[in-house]
Amino acid sequence: LEIDTLIHADWVIPGEPLGAVMARHSLAIADGRILEVLPTPEAREKYRAPHTHQLDRHLLIPGLVNTHTHAAMALLRGLADDLPLMTWLHDHIWPAEQRWVSEEFVHDGTQLAMAEMLRSGTTCFNDMYFFPDVAGRAVAAAGMRATIGLIVVDFPTPWAENADEYLHRGLEVHDQFRNHALVRTAFAPHAPYSVSDEPLERTRTLADELDIPIHIHVHETRDEIMLSLQHHGVRPLERLRKLDMVSPSLVAVHLTHLEEDEIQVLAEAGAHGVHCPESNLKLTSGLCQVDLLGRAGVNMALGTDGPASNNDLNLIGEMRTAAMLGKLVADDPSALPAAQVLSMATLNGARALGIDERIGSLKAGKEADVVAVHMGEIETQPVYDPLSHLVYATGRHQVRHVWVSGRQLLRDRQLTTLDTESILAHAQEWGPRIRAHASAGGP
Ligand SMILES: [Zn+2]
């Protein structure tokens, strides 16, 4: 049978069933979809493909899903570090954004972020940033997959002046990408402390109508909880519950400082959570009870958060951090085993974004978002269990090839649709401009 692509690998971790590792298996891909996952000798008999890859000592995994980021902030990476969230935001990030955020900034920053993500095995990301139209077009041009956040905040930014304009422009962006194969949208009200009740309610109504997720930071810090108690008399999650926002369309990012009954509320509503361990650690925001949330039945995905608070977009590293921090928080070394953490970084993310029928595991019928990781390097020898190595020992430099919907976007670590030289040149122009302004005490 003549098909498009055939990939033979030493190991395949399909993601479903959980924890399965298949030795010497192959992926047969046609029209962007996985036709079959089968033993290599059978694949050789059954299929012929113009693109045939013999990947010895490689591991195939589903494309990683970064379920929370602010991609364009790659251009602000390392601008301000070692600060608590509110100081970092108010004194550094928001002033820099007021000064610099533009179509050009978002285009260049999103490209820089996508290049980094593809080179670390991420094929899909859930973004929240200004000029989502520009980000969406950059994603489409690169052939990557993303859910682009239609951002809403109470204050004016270069993207919009007020809630009306944020929602109006958001709806226009939604229309631009309606039925796009790779780019989807979600409403993205920034956080309970930065969006008032009225725009939150409108967001919820519109999200229901369009059947898209609501992507929002919730319970990031203790300060946020204190502020909510002062201004609204209830904790942030309770406020969202009263606004009827805690539902299967809620993608709640961070979820630190939760109480037991709040975990139950999320579980019973079928809401999704996104854990961003490195951002939580770096900003010392607080701990997320990932193990308890998972046991209660909350679908927990994984994100890096923006590259200015992490400071990378490396989901391979984020998996290791999530596993280790999760064990410490649960006080249990058996909590968050490698298989569960990989699921957080793949299928659970797809589920949160409502696209788990299409991506998130290597299964016949799904779109072929696939990553080949080279296990033959010094750092991962010998190989007893490739799943263990993937989470506990692999570096992102071992990501060798990446496909999105059957199209190869990374070949031998070289990007095929993004221009590395131009991305570097733009980043190197932005850096000195932004730094000069910041040290002059902008905005
Ligand atoms: Zn964030």
Side-chain angles (χ1 to χ4, degrees):
L1 195 62
E2 180 83 12
I3 57 169
D4 302 328
T5 303
L6 197 52
I7 312 173
H8 307 301
D10 277 9
W11 305 277
V12 175
I13 296 180
E16 289 182 280
L18 191 74
V21 179
M22 304 188 300
R24 283 170 297 283
H25 268 60
S26 302
L27 247 65
I29 298 169
D31 299 321
R33 288 179 188 281
I34 298 167
L35 209 57
E36 198 175 355
V37 184
L38 70 173
T40 297
E42 281 178 37
R44 287 191 202 287
E45 293 250 311
K46 189 168 174 185
Y47 297 109
R48 289 283 171 278
H51 303 289
T52 297
H53 306 267
Q54 177 65 49
L55 301 180
D56 298 329
R57 296 186 184 79
H58 282 68
L59 162 65
L60 298 183
I61 59 170
L64 302 177
V65 180
N66 187 347
T67 312
H68 177 63
T69 193
H70 315 279
M73 291 180 83
L75 290 174
L76 302 177
R77 186 200 326 259
L79 182 67
D81 293 315
D82 311 328
L83 297 164
L85 175 72
M86 291 301 173
T87 314
W88 179 76
L89 275 179
H90 284 278
D91 297 352
H92 299 274
I93 296 303
W94 285 346
E97 288 180 332
Q98 286 297 343
R99 173 68 185 83
W100 295 109
V101 168
S102 63
E103 297 204 0
E104 190 193 4
F105 177 95
V106 171
H107 175 266
D108 293 351
T110 305
Q111 280 202 332
L112 177 62
M114 287 192 295
E116 181 184 356
M117 286 193 272
L118 286 169
R119 282 162 54 91
S120 41
T122 294
T123 53
C124 176
F125 62 105
N126 183 35
D127 204 44
M128 178 194 287
Y129 210 62
F130 309 103
F131 296 95
D133 54 337
V134 176
R137 286 198 294 274
V139 172
M144 210 175 158
R145 191 186 298 279
T147 295
I148 297 297
L150 312 175
I151 195 165
V152 183
V153 284
D154 278 345
F155 51 86
T157 64
W159 169 240
E161 285 294 316
N162 52 45
D164 277 341
E165 198 183 353
Y166 281 106
L167 289 167
H168 177 73
R169 297 202 75 176
L171 289 172
E172 283 179 351
V173 176
H174 175 78
D175 277 345
Q176 281 176 43
F177 295 103
R178 194 191 291 268
N179 304 323
H180 193 282
L182 297 171
V183 181
R184 299 170 66 93
T185 56
F187 276 104
H190 174 263
Y193 62 84
S194 54
V195 189
S196 10
D197 284 359
E198 197 262 347
L200 282 176
E201 281 180 317
R202 286 167 64 197
T203 301
R204 196 250 303 141
T205 308
L206 290 167
D208 280 354
E209 277 173 34
L210 302 175
D211 194 22
I212 61 176
I214 297 178
H215 173 197
I216 179 170
H217 299 100
V218 186
H219 281 232
E220 182 165 5
T221 61
R222 206 170 259 129
D223 276 0
E224 173 189 335
I225 296 168
M226 299 302 290
L227 274 174
S228 180
L229 285 167
Q230 278 170 27
H231 295 148
H232 304 279
V234 290
R235 289 159 63 90
L237 191 68
E238 176 60 10
R239 183 169 150 233
L240 295 186
R241 197 192 61 76
K242 286 183 160 173
L243 294 168
D244 202 19
M245 290 180 72
V246 183
S247 77
S249 56
L250 179 69
V251 181
V253 182
H254 296 309
L255 299 178
T256 70
H257 306 290
L258 287 181
E259 291 173 351
E260 248 177 62
D261 57 326
E262 291 172 321
I263 293 177
Q264 279 313 314
V265 164
L266 288 162
E268 280 161 22
H272 310 270
V274 186
H275 180 39
C276 301
E278 293 187 6
S279 173
N280 293 164
L281 285 164
K282 185 161 181 282
L283 296 164
T284 325
S285 298
L287 300 172
C288 174
Q289 303 276 357
V290 181
D291 184 53
L292 287 183
L293 281 155
R295 283 178 200 281
V298 179
N299 175 50
M300 290 300 295
L302 191 66
T304 57
D305 209 346
S309 66
N310 185 304
N311 291 0
D312 64 34
L313 293 167
N314 173 12
L315 266 191
I316 301 246
E318 203 78 32
M319 284 197 288
R320 172 158 46 181
T321 307
M324 294 193 178
L325 181 61
K327 294 172 195 306
L328 187 71
V329 169
D331 192 25
D332 176 4
S334 72
L336 274 80
Q340 185 184 341
V341 172
L342 177 61
S343 205
M344 289 174 67
T346 52
L347 193 58
N348 296 9
R351 196 172 284 142
L353 301 179
I355 50 176
D356 52 313
E357 295 291 308
R358 297 169 61 175
I359 61 158
S361 58
L362 302 178
K363 203 170 126 181
K366 285 205 181 183
E367 295 184 36
D369 290 12
V370 186
V371 173
V373 184
H374 186 224
M375 285 285 148
E377 297 195 13
I378 289 289
E379 290 81 356
T380 40
Q381 292 303 311
V383 182
Y384 299 111
D385 175 359
L387 179 51
S388 159
H389 272 3
L390 178 71
V391 171
Y392 295 116
T394 296
R396 61 174 155 175
H397 68 283
Q398 290 170 261
V399 169
R400 191 67 75 77
H401 309 285
V402 173
W403 292 262
V404 172
S405 197
R407 181 179 182 195
Q408 192 164 10
L409 302 189
L410 190 76
R411 181 183 297 125
D412 281 318
R413 293 204 57 68
Q414 298 302 308
L415 296 160
T416 64
T417 55
L418 286 162
D419 180 347
T420 304
E421 290 309 313
S422 126
I423 289 171
L424 286 170
H426 287 306
Q428 287 158 11
E429 281 165 23
W430 279 106
R433 283 169 75 191
I434 294 171
R435 183 171 52 197
H437 188 80
S439 47

